[in-house]
Amino acid sequence: MTTGAPTSPYTARRRRSRLRRYLPLGLAAWLVLEIWLLTLVAGAAGGLTVFLLLVAGLVAGSVVIKRAGRRAFASLNEAVRQGGSPARGGGNGLTMLGGLLLMIPGLVSDAAGLLLLLPPVQRAVGRLAENALERSLRRVAPGSLGDVFQQARMHRPDGKVVPGEVIRDDAPDDAPRGPRPPLTR
């Protein structure tokens, strides 16, 4: 005997995002590609060469991450000493990502890590990431976490951040107008 309302056998399931659907497949394909390339290089040059390549990638990646971390810490100390905010960007995050990719065993990840250490590639990847973030913030629903982030950030021409609310007047004429709900309830 059961109590409560009966549940429908046809309950609507939420659709999984493309990222959640294809990320495991992409990781598996990347892993197979890395192993295949390592076996090709081991067959052509020998196992010791592959081992030395992997150790060299690990050492180079750790050196890159250490230097980028020191640079970020020095920038933060300088900004605190002068009473301002640290320089935005600076490439330290992408440099650290490049070092992490160098540390991951494999030739494809090493090539991607070395590419991320080049300043033109860092600028291009930084622009792409910033544009993707802007696009995703434009599509947020009112009252969501992204909407709070959009309302809370507003930059002055000198680069300083001023807390405030961004109000856009690009809504259609038939949209309901009125005060926005408060951020906290």
Side-chain angles (χ1 to χ4, degrees), residues 45-111:
L48 183 62
T49 305
V50 170
F51 178 73
L52 291 176
L53 279 173
L54 294 178
V55 169
L58 181 70
V59 170
S62 62
V63 168
V64 166
I65 288 177
K66 187 176 182 179
R67 289 187 67 201
R70 283 185 180 168
R71 206 171 340 159
F73 191 69
S75 169
L76 179 65
N77 277 339
E78 184 66 29
V80 168
R81 192 175 307 122
Q82 292 179 356
S85 63
R88 183 177 165 163
N92 291 326
L94 289 175
T95 303
M96 286 185 180
L97 179 62
L100 179 67
L101 285 172
L102 280 172
M103 290 177 71
I104 294 174
L107 300 176
V108 175
S109 61
D110 287 350

Side-chain angles (χ1 to χ4, degrees), residues 3 7 26-27 34 37-38 40 44 57 69 88 106 132 136 151 155 185:
T3 60
T7 59
L27 286 174
E34 291 281 16
L37 283 175
L38 286 174
L40 280 179
R88 183 177 165 163
S136 68
Q151 290 176 7
H155 297 280
R185 293 182 184 196

